Amino acid sequence: MSPYPVERPRRLRSTPALRRLVAETSIEPRHLVLPMFVKEGAAEPVPIRSMPGVVQHTRESLRKAAAEAVGAGVGGLMLFAVPEESSKDPLGRAGTDPDGILQVALRDVVAEVGDATVVMSDLCLDEYTSHGHCGVLGPDGTVDNDASLARYAEMGLVQAAAGSAVLGLSGMMDGQVGAVRSALDLAGRYDVVLLAYASKYASSFYGPFREAVESSLVGDRRTYQVDPSNGIEALREVELDVAEGADIVMVKPALSYLDVVRQVRDAVTVPVAAYQVSGEYAMVEAAAANGWLDRERAIVETVTSIRRAGADLVFTYWATELAQILR
Ligand code: PBG
C-alpha cells in the first residue's frame, strides 16, 4: 500500500484553468431575470432605503434600466407597480385598469426592448389593495379565495393585452393558475406563459420588498403562503400548478429553500425558477457595506448556489450587474 493518498481531489483545484474546466455549475446572463419597480407619478427615481442600489423607477428611468439590462444580456424583466396611495381600494381596481401604472409601464418597456428579452409582469393584488392583501376580502375580513380568482382572471387579460409575455402569479390563492389559464384560453390568448409562484413561503425575507412597493399590509400572509417548515407541501403546490397549466414553476425565497428547489427540480419537467428575494439582497448589501464580506464574490456565490440546487432561472435584483460581471 502506498503511504500516500491515491485520490487527490486537490489536483483539479490547483489552477484557475483547471477549476474552470471542471466547474459543474455556471451562470449565464440569459438565466437571470431582473425584478423592477415603477412608481406612478414619480418625477425622479426614488431610492429604496432597505435595498441600496434599487429604485422605484419613473416611466422614463424604467425604460433606460430595461435597455441597460438588455444590453447586458439579461434573460427577462419582471415588472412590479407602485400605484399612488389614492389609486388603492379594497378590490385593487388599478390592477385591472387598462391605463393603470403597470399596464402603462408594460407598454413602455415592450416598446423599448421589443423581443430582445422576455417582458414579465407580477399578477397579484397586494400592490393595489388598500388593505395590502394579495386577494380581496370577504364579509368576515379574511381573504376570499374564489372572489380573488375572478380578479386575477381579469388582471391576466389586462396584462396580456398590455404586452406581458409571462404572467407571474404570486398571490398564492388556490386554483389561481387554472383560473387565469382558462380566462386566457377563452380569449384566445394561448400564447401567454404562466409562471406560477407555486411554492411561495410566508417569509421574513420579503421585508424590504414591502418598503419597495409601499405595502399597506397590516398583519401577515400566513393563511395563503406556505409555512417555512413544510417541504412536501411545496411539492403538492407544484403538482397542482403544473396540472392547472403552469409553464414554469417558482420557489421563493431561494437561499433558505435550496432543498425545496432541488426537490422541485427533480419532481417536474417544466422549467424551475427561484427568486432571490429582497431580504437576501439586503443582507449581502448590508454586510458588504460594513466591509464584512466581499460583495461581488457573495453575489456570484449565492446565485451559483441557487443554480446548483436546480434552478434554471434566477430572479435577482443583481441581474444586470451580475450579467455584466459574467461578461
Ligand atoms: C407579492 C410579492 C411579494 C414579493 C413578490 N411578490 C411580497 C409578499 O408576498 O409579501 C416579494 C419579493 C421580494 O421580497 O423580493 N405580490
Side-chain angles (χ1 to χ4, degrees), residues 80 122 124 126-127 134 170 197 200 205-206 209-210 221 225 252 275-279 317:
F80 291 91
D122 184 57
C124 188
D126 67 310
E127 291 98 324
C134 294
S170 67
Y197 286 46
K200 178 175 177 185
F205 293 107
Y206 306 147
F209 177 94
R210 305 248 169 112
R221 307 196 195 287
Q225 298 178 345
K252 177 183 178 185
Y275 197 138
Q276 181 172 55
V277 301
S278 58
Y317 297 98

Side-chain angles (χ1 to χ4, degrees), residues 46-285:
V46 183
I48 300 164
R49 213 177 34 90
S50 54
M51 300 177 74
V54 180
V55 300
Q56 296 174 328
H57 283 291
T58 66
R59 286 179 59 185
E60 202 40 51
S61 73
L62 181 75
R63 287 181 78 131
K64 274 184 66 184
E68 192 193 359
V70 168
V74 164
L77 308 172
M78 172 59 80
L79 305 192
F80 291 91
V82 187
E84 271 168 19
E85 203 53 42
S86 59
S87 306
K88 295 186 183 184
D89 64 38
L91 295 178
R93 284 195 185 85
T96 45
D97 178 348
D99 294 316
I101 179 64
L102 182 62
Q103 284 65 251
V104 168
L106 276 167
R107 291 194 289 266
D108 284 347
V109 170
V110 169
E112 180 72 37
V113 305
D115 52 14
T117 191
V118 181
V119 179
M120 316 182 181
S121 52
D122 184 57
L123 198 164
C124 188
L125 283 169
D126 67 310
E127 291 98 324
Y128 310 98
T129 52
S130 41
H131 45 73
H133 275 293
C134 294
V136 299
L137 304 183
D140 64 355
T142 65
V143 175
D144 182 336
N145 192 87
D146 297 11
S148 303
L149 296 183
R151 299 288 298 127
Y152 289 178
E154 201 182 330
M155 277 185 102
L157 294 173
V158 170
Q159 292 183 7
S164 182
V166 178
L167 308 182
L169 298 155
S170 67
M172 289 300 288
M173 294 301 124
D174 293 336
Q176 63 183 13
V177 176
V180 174
R181 175 58 77 208
S182 71
L184 290 168
D185 283 350
L186 285 169
R189 293 303 307 265
Y190 315 113
D191 56 319
V192 180
V193 170
L194 297 186
L195 183 156
Y197 286 46
S199 169
K200 178 175 177 185
Y201 285 89
S203 173
S204 61
F205 293 107
Y206 306 147
F209 177 94
R210 305 248 169 112
E211 180 194 337
V213 299
E214 301 174 18
S215 171
S216 309
L217 184 70
V218 182
D220 59 56
R221 307 196 195 287
R222 288 181 224 217
T223 70
Y224 40 103
Q225 298 178 345
V226 180
D227 185 323
S229 62
N230 296 352
I232 296 167
E233 189 184 349
L235 295 177
R236 181 179 186 209
E237 285 281 6
V238 164
E239 253 171 49
L240 290 170
D241 284 354
V242 171
E244 289 174 29
D247 301 290
I248 303 173
V249 292
M250 180 187 273
V251 174
K252 177 183 178 185
L255 273 190
S256 299
Y257 300 89
L258 294 182
D259 57 326
V260 179
V261 173
R262 168 47 57 196
Q263 290 184 67
V264 169
R265 181 56 292 168
D266 291 344
V268 300
T269 55
V270 295
V272 174
Y275 197 138
Q276 181 172 55
V277 301
S278 58
E280 300 177 54
Y281 176 91
M283 282 195 298
V284 171
E285 290 290 346

Side-chain angles (χ1 to χ4, degrees), residues 11-83:
R11 263 183 219 123
L12 292 176
R13 300 175 195 144
S14 58
T15 68
L18 271 168
R19 292 195 293 272
R20 185 180 66 175
L21 181 70
V22 301
E24 297 174 33
T25 307
S26 55
I27 315 167
E28 295 172 40
R30 70 181 180 94
H31 297 134
L32 306 175
V33 178
L34 177 67
M36 310 175 87
F37 304 102
V38 58
K39 184 173 167 66
E40 184 178 16
E44 292 292 327
V46 183
I48 300 164
R49 213 177 34 90
S50 54
M51 300 177 74
V54 180
V55 300
Q56 296 174 328
H57 283 291
T58 66
R59 286 179 59 185
E60 202 40 51
S61 73
L62 181 75
R63 287 181 78 131
K64 274 184 66 184
E68 192 193 359
V70 168
V74 164
L77 308 172
M78 172 59 80
L79 305 192
F80 291 91
V82 187

Side-chain angles (χ1 to χ4, degrees), residues 303-318:
V303 176
T304 300
S305 301
I306 295 164
R307 291 265 308 141
R308 191 197 61 241
D312 302 296
L313 322 178
V314 182
F315 284 58
T316 175
Y317 297 98
W318 289 307

